[in-house]
Amino acid sequence: MAVVEAQVSHLRENPFELAREQLRRVAATFEIDQNLVNVLGTCKKAVEVSVPVHMDDGTTSVFAGYRVTHNVARGPSKGGIRYHPDVTLDEVKALAMWMTWKCALMGIPFGGAKGGVVVDPKQLSRGELERMTRRYTSEIINEIGPEKDIPAPDVGTDGAVMAWIFDTYSMNKGHSVLGVVTGKPLTIGGSLGRVEATARGALYCVRDAVAKRDGRLDGMTVAVQGFGNVGSFLAKFLHEEGASVVAISDSRAALYNSKGIDIAAAFAHKREHGTLAGLKDADQITNDDLLLLDVDILAPCALEQVITERNASQVKASIICEGGNGPVTPAADAILEDKGVLILPDVLANAGGVVVSYFEWVQGLQEYFWKETEVNAKLNDIVSRAFEETWETAESRHMPMRVAAYGLAVQRVAEATITRGIYP
Ligand code: NAD
């Protein structure tokens, strides 16, 4: 029996400690009661499970899995499930905390959660992936549910994985439970617009930020790190708005073309080969180079801690759109702040996904499904309102967008906690 261990992590610092540091900084600025900070700085529940799986070669592998609920003061907890070899409990806790702030900033009635399995899904066959997902779901089945905790896709998971979670949960309950998970395929109660929603929300934020600076997206240059769900569609949408996407990357390749990457060709290449490596009409660079390119907009849409105190001073972009969660560390934040870089923080910039997940949950509970134009219009309303609130707070209080966004969110969760009271 093989026990699958995590490899050396991409995380240089403990992400949960960083998330708590962000909370402390914001709480001090927004004068949040220390007793509440003590509550908000911890996770309500963290479950660790082992996930044994029959592999195709007859052996059995055991994977470590987690599901963490950070806070439910404003509603059931919501958050993605990550399949990645670097997943740790503290990473899942940090991501769960950020989900709480994200849902509060968007004004949607959810708390924050996250899940993860320490696995490289690319190394599994489809059958192994399905068996692992179903066993993981069984192990956390008492933690999740439409009124309790609702998973969604994250790095390494997609609609197919959500379909297996939905089916496993439903089989155990004896009837279909549409609201147990979001990011489902359309054929089984998914929402139109969900696949592209995170990128669309990021586009709305970039568009609003550029407009605030009296600029035009048309003609701006962009570098996008990560060509998965978030990064690929953000590259596509920015290209459609007239921006020139000069660099893209995935875990295996980073590519640059000063005249602009052919995004349609990149989609086709990724679909055919499963990687951007080998894409024609572009020069090979590294993921580190990509972050330091002389572009107008940099969109890190892969993993955490890619912009740190080691490289922040060399970043040349004037706007950073955090399509991914936690790409900029607090130390890097301070350096970029001094340089005058506008950071559109993760809890704002990539919240489009959870907003349309909320729409999917509502549609599932009502068993009544909306047109895509309706989904996108409602998403635009919510994201642009949150952008405006964050921008105004940042301007009027002379603070970075991150502090403003986290501050608004933490205040809302603190208010809900005070109103409900601490049980008993
Ligand atoms: P994904 O698995 O679809 O794509 C991840 C991409 O990042 C892939 O292209 C992968 O090759 C690339 N990548 C992985 N390691 C890399 C590395 N070291 N350097 C460069 N590229 C690397 O995942 P996703 O759903 O697009 O999520 C990306 C980020 O966005 C994560 O931080 C996630 O938490 C966040 N996010 C996702 C959603 C969503 O709806 N999917 C919503 C909000 C936030």
Side-chain angles (χ1 to χ4, degrees):
M1 187 177 286
V3 176
V4 179
E5 303 278 358
Q7 301 165 356
V8 176
S9 174
H10 67 278
L11 300 167
R12 296 182 179 90
E13 297 177 67
N14 182 313
F16 190 47
E17 281 314 313
L18 294 187
R20 286 156 68 109
E21 188 182 324
Q22 287 168 333
L23 170 64
R24 283 192 290 269
R25 183 178 171 199
V26 161
T29 310
F30 281 76
E31 294 173 358
I32 302 211
D33 182 339
Q34 185 56 45
N35 291 306
L36 278 169
V37 179
N38 294 343
V39 174
L40 301 178
T42 54
C43 291
K44 173 181 159 61
K45 194 172 192 180
V47 173
E48 180 174 352
V49 297
S50 70
V51 185
V53 179
H54 281 308
M55 306 304 278
D56 293 346
D57 65 4
T59 63
T60 303
S61 288
V62 183
F63 302 90
Y66 307 101
R67 186 71 191 170
V68 173
T69 296
H70 171 251
N71 188 282
V72 294
R74 301 183 67 264
S77 54
K78 184 95 190 74
I81 290 175
R82 177 171 294 195
Y83 288 173
H84 193 277
D86 293 354
V87 163
T88 65
L89 179 56
D90 275 351
E91 180 187 40
V92 179
K93 284 182 174 179
L95 290 163
M97 185 186 274
W98 289 327
M99 283 304 297
T100 303
W101 311 147
K102 201 178 293 184
C103 294
L105 183 65
M106 293 299 122
I108 58 177
F110 289 134
K114 206 79 181 189
V117 177
V118 185
V119 62
D120 181 354
K122 290 187 204 124
Q123 303 298 322
L124 301 188
S125 69
R126 198 168 167 76
E128 290 167 342
L129 193 64
E130 176 174 353
R131 292 194 290 279
M132 189 192 76
T133 299
R134 287 187 183 277
R135 180 60 187 252
Y136 169 64
T137 307
S138 301
E139 294 295 341
I140 61 165
I141 206 155
N142 293 325
E143 313 309 323
I144 60 175
E147 290 160 348
K148 196 173 183 184
D149 177 23
I150 306 124
D154 191 75
V155 175
T157 57
D158 58 11
V161 172
M162 297 307 116
W164 293 322
I165 297 174
F166 160 69
D167 187 66
T168 305
Y169 187 89
S170 297
M171 285 296 147
N172 277 271
K173 295 294 163 190
H175 59 97
S176 288
V177 185
L178 283 181
V180 68
V181 73
T182 59
K184 299 184 293 297
L186 290 175
T187 46
I188 54 164
S191 173
L192 289 165
R194 174 60 185 92
V195 172
E196 307 89 349
T198 308
R200 205 177 283 285
L203 171 75
Y204 295 152
C205 288
V206 173
R207 180 200 62 193
D208 291 356
V210 168
K212 288 281 182 197
R213 292 183 151 189
D214 296 325
R216 284 165 53 87
L217 260 177
D218 192 6
M220 283 191 161
T221 52
V222 184
V224 179
Q225 183 183 57
F227 203 71
N229 173 273
V230 182
S232 65
F233 285 110
L234 182 57
K236 177 174 183 277
F237 294 152
L238 287 168
H239 171 71
E240 286 169 359
E241 293 292 321
S244 175
V245 181
V246 295
I248 55 174
S249 72
D250 63 14
S251 59
R252 287 191 247 168
L255 297 143
Y256 174 75
N257 181 336
S258 62
K259 295 195 176 68
I261 302 270
D262 181 343
I263 300 299
F267 265 90
H269 188 91
K270 182 98 188 182
R271 211 170 19 248
E272 190 179 340
H273 303 282
T275 170
L276 291 173
L279 180 69
K280 292 204 178 69
D281 299 326
D283 297 329
Q284 186 100 18
I285 56 171
T286 67
N287 258 299
D288 289 343
D289 298 337
L290 180 145
L291 299 168
L292 309 181
L293 287 173
D294 191 1
V295 288
D296 298 308
I297 301 164
L298 173 62
C301 302
L303 299 172
E304 303 94 309
Q305 300 180 21
V306 291
I307 304 174
T308 67
E309 56 197 334
R310 296 190 315 167
N311 60 0
S313 63
Q314 300 164 63
V315 168
K316 296 174 197 71
S318 55
I319 297 178
I320 294 179
C321 171
E322 292 189 332
N325 283 309
V328 178
T329 63
D333 251 347
I335 297 167
L336 294 164
E337 216 174 294
D338 284 348
K339 280 166 62 93
V341 178
L342 174 63
I343 301 179
L344 303 174
D346 45 14
V347 294
L348 175 66
N350 69 38
V354 75
V355 170
V356 177
S357 271
Y358 166 56
F359 296 162
E360 180 178 333
W361 180 75
V362 169
Q363 292 171 81
L365 294 182
Q366 296 181 338
E367 309 248 5
Y368 175 72
F369 292 87
W370 312 342
K371 289 185 295 194
E372 188 165 2
T373 47
E374 200 176 341
V375 169
N376 291 343
K378 286 186 161 80
L379 171 65
N380 195 354
D381 281 352
I382 289 182
V383 171
S384 284
R385 185 189 63 209
F387 177 91
E388 201 56 43
E389 287 169 349
T390 307
W391 185 272
E392 269 184 20
T393 305
E395 289 280 293
S396 62
R397 300 187 63 163
H398 309 289
M399 55 179 55
M401 288 285 274
R402 184 183 318 280
V403 181
Y406 281 47
L408 288 170
V410 173
Q411 271 182 330
R412 288 173 190 171
V413 182
E415 276 162 20
T417 308
I418 294 167
T419 308
R420 287 178 68 144
I422 305 279
Y423 180 85

